[in-house]
Amino acid sequence: MDNYNPKQLYTWYKHENTEEWHLFKTVLNPKKLSTGEIRLFCTRIEEESVCEQMDFSDAASDRLSKVCVREDGARMQAAEILKRTACGNCVATLYSTQEY
Ligand SMILES: [Zn+2]
């Protein structure tokens, strides 16, 4: 995490084999729907999780949500939903970012 950005968005993805959830950096991209409506879609910006232990190609198809969340949101999801299934290293990055 060389370039810490407090506005960075994240999404949790589950590893299909270990069933552990890892954190990926994401961004909101506007896309125009066929109806002409503009919607924001959550898109990954890196192929590796923030702990560098999971490649996105190993992600299970069930997702926590496709919604990008801010750092505090990702922290809350880990604490309230994922609990012990959240990767400890990924969670640690959410708590150590102030140092950067
Ligand atoms: Zn991880």
Side-chain angles (χ1 to χ4, degrees):
M1 295 258 268
D2 344 290
N3 300 307
Y4 174 59
N5 170 5
K7 294 226 171 86
Q8 177 63 55
L9 298 170
Y10 299 94
T11 304
W12 288 101
Y13 289 100
K14 186 164 96 175
H15 193 290
E16 61 178 350
N17 299 325
T18 65
E19 304 210 329
E20 194 173 41
W21 292 82
H22 292 268
L23 197 63
F24 285 76
K25 288 186 183 178
T26 46
V27 70
L28 283 173
N29 278 330
K31 261 188 214 160
K32 201 172 184 180
L33 304 181
S34 52
T35 56
E37 191 189 343
I38 306 278
R39 282 249 190 99
L40 291 173
F41 285 88
C42 191
T43 322
R44 259 175 312 112
I45 54 173
E46 285 173 352
E47 288 307 302
E48 266 190 339
S49 61
V50 297
C51 68
E52 301 180 350
Q53 286 170 349
M54 173 178 161
D55 194 271
F56 184 72
S57 59
D58 295 323
S61 50
D62 56 323
R63 303 279 157 82
L64 181 62
S65 72
K66 287 183 177 161
V67 182
C68 292
V69 291
R70 296 269 283 269
E71 190 185 291
D72 54 346
R75 223 179 277 177
M76 211 168 70
Q77 289 178 329
E80 292 177 4
I81 306 166
L82 305 176
K83 301 188 171 133
R84 298 178 74 95
T85 58
C87 163
N89 292 330
C90 284
V91 171
T93 62
L94 291 171
Y95 287 91
S96 63
T97 44
Q98 272 91 337
E99 295 166 25
Y100 292 89

